[in-house]
Amino acid sequence: MNAAISASSTPRIADRPVPPTLRVGGLVPLTTTDFPGRLAAVVFCQGCPWSCGYCHNPHLIPARGTGDHDWAQVLDLLGRRRGLLDGVVFSGGEPLAQRGLPEAMRVVRAAGFDVGLHTGGAYPERLDDVLPLVDWVGFDVKASFSDYERLTRVPGSGEAARRSLHALLASGVDHEIRTTVHPAIFDRRGVLRLARGLADRGVRCYALQVFRGNGCLDPAYRDSRGASALIDLSLLEEIRTLFERFEIRGMPG
């Protein structure tokens, strides 16, 4: 599509009925990194039931934000970018916290976009419901499931994440499992133990992300010194043998 085509002559998708409860806390019009193999827009959904101290988007945790975007404006942008974008990623916060997410995905898919989802797995049943609507899922495994309550500050969060991971792996939907490495959460043995446990569960695509303090407000987690020191070459090589695809992100230099 010619980018010079005016908005008035561009087919609109904003007229499709979408529940007004979809709260959008942010929007990235173009990304090459958040949806593998696609040029995509990222819709940041407002609200998350967990309160992880190292969260780099803490402004998206409250159910209501101060800078919400109008969903109709998002759809208007997507209508003008058909032919330029391949997909749309719903991120957060936790997108599955919003009841309007499935219909929003249907609208985006009907407009010809692939659909991606970033989730921590807080809502297993809701994830199961939307898996037929998505082309790819980026799933955050924060730690061993028995350690989740310490990180999320929510009882039962580890069991919810475990069930969600099981549903994703059983679905056959393309995905990436990833873990953020922070020295307040892991030591070297803990990183390796988690990776082995995920491989035993059937994970084949895995990424480690070295924590960066950008956006983090909790002083207990803000200091990122030592995060990269947990990851040495021998550890990476051992983890790499466990998965068909493995990446390390955020290493300095």
Side-chain angles (χ1 to χ4, degrees):
M1 175 185 291
N2 189 332
I5 294 177
S6 69
S8 61
S9 63
T10 303
R12 292 177 55 83
I13 61 175
D15 298 328
R16 287 288 302 271
V18 177
T21 54
L22 193 74
R23 301 178 306 281
V24 180
L27 176 67
V28 173
L30 175 65
T31 177
T32 61
T33 60
D34 293 279
F35 196 161
R38 280 92 157 178
L39 297 177
V42 183
V43 176
F44 289 95
C45 298
Q46 185 73 40
C48 182
W50 296 344
S51 298
C52 303
Y54 64 85
C55 180
H56 67 278
N57 284 327
H59 63 287
L60 294 174
I61 293 177
R64 299 286 175 181
T66 58
D68 289 0
H69 294 246
D70 184 80
W71 174 243
Q73 293 176 338
V74 175
L75 292 180
D76 186 61
L77 169 72
L78 297 179
R80 288 184 279 112
R81 295 217 164 186
R82 275 199 283 199
L84 302 174
L85 293 176
D86 305 310
V88 177
V89 181
F90 292 90
S91 189
E94 173 51 68
L96 293 167
Q98 298 202 36
R99 296 287 186 178
L101 180 66
E103 182 58 25
M105 287 179 167
R106 292 186 186 98
V107 169
V108 167
R109 179 171 290 285
F113 297 100
D114 290 342
V115 176
L117 172 67
H118 293 173
T119 182
Y123 298 95
E125 292 82 6
R126 297 183 192 180
L127 176 61
D128 205 38
D129 288 342
V130 303
L131 283 172
L133 303 174
V134 301
D135 299 283
W136 176 85
V137 176
F139 189 101
D140 294 310
V141 173
K142 300 176 181 298
S144 297
F145 297 124
S146 60
D147 288 340
Y148 261 61
E149 185 171 339
R150 174 170 65 94
L151 301 177
T152 67
R153 302 161 189 174
V154 175
S157 52
E159 176 60 15
R162 184 196 65 77
R163 290 170 53 201
S164 291
L165 177 62
H166 177 77
L168 174 59
L169 295 177
S171 72
V173 173
D174 191 22
H175 59 271
E176 174 188 87
I177 311 303
R178 59 270 190 103
T179 298
T180 298
V181 178
H182 192 293
I185 303 170
F186 293 103
D187 58 17
R188 186 184 185 281
R189 287 180 297 178
V191 176
L192 182 56
R193 184 166 55 248
L194 177 62
R196 286 173 172 166
L198 292 172
D200 288 344
R201 291 178 182 272
V203 172
R204 295 293 174 261
C205 180
Y206 188 50
L208 289 178
Q209 303 173 148
V210 177
F211 173 81
R212 297 293 180 91
N214 300 30
C216 178
L217 299 180
D218 191 327
Y221 290 93
R222 194 180 303 152
D223 186 356
S224 61
R225 290 175 298 179
S228 59
L230 292 173
I231 310 296
D232 58 39
L233 184 60
S234 63
L235 176 64
L236 292 180
E237 289 306 312
E238 187 164 0
I239 292 177
R240 194 180 306 277
T241 64
L242 300 173
F243 304 99
E244 293 177 7
R245 290 179 288 166
F246 173 70
E247 290 189 31
I248 177 71
R249 301 180 184 134
M251 289 290 284

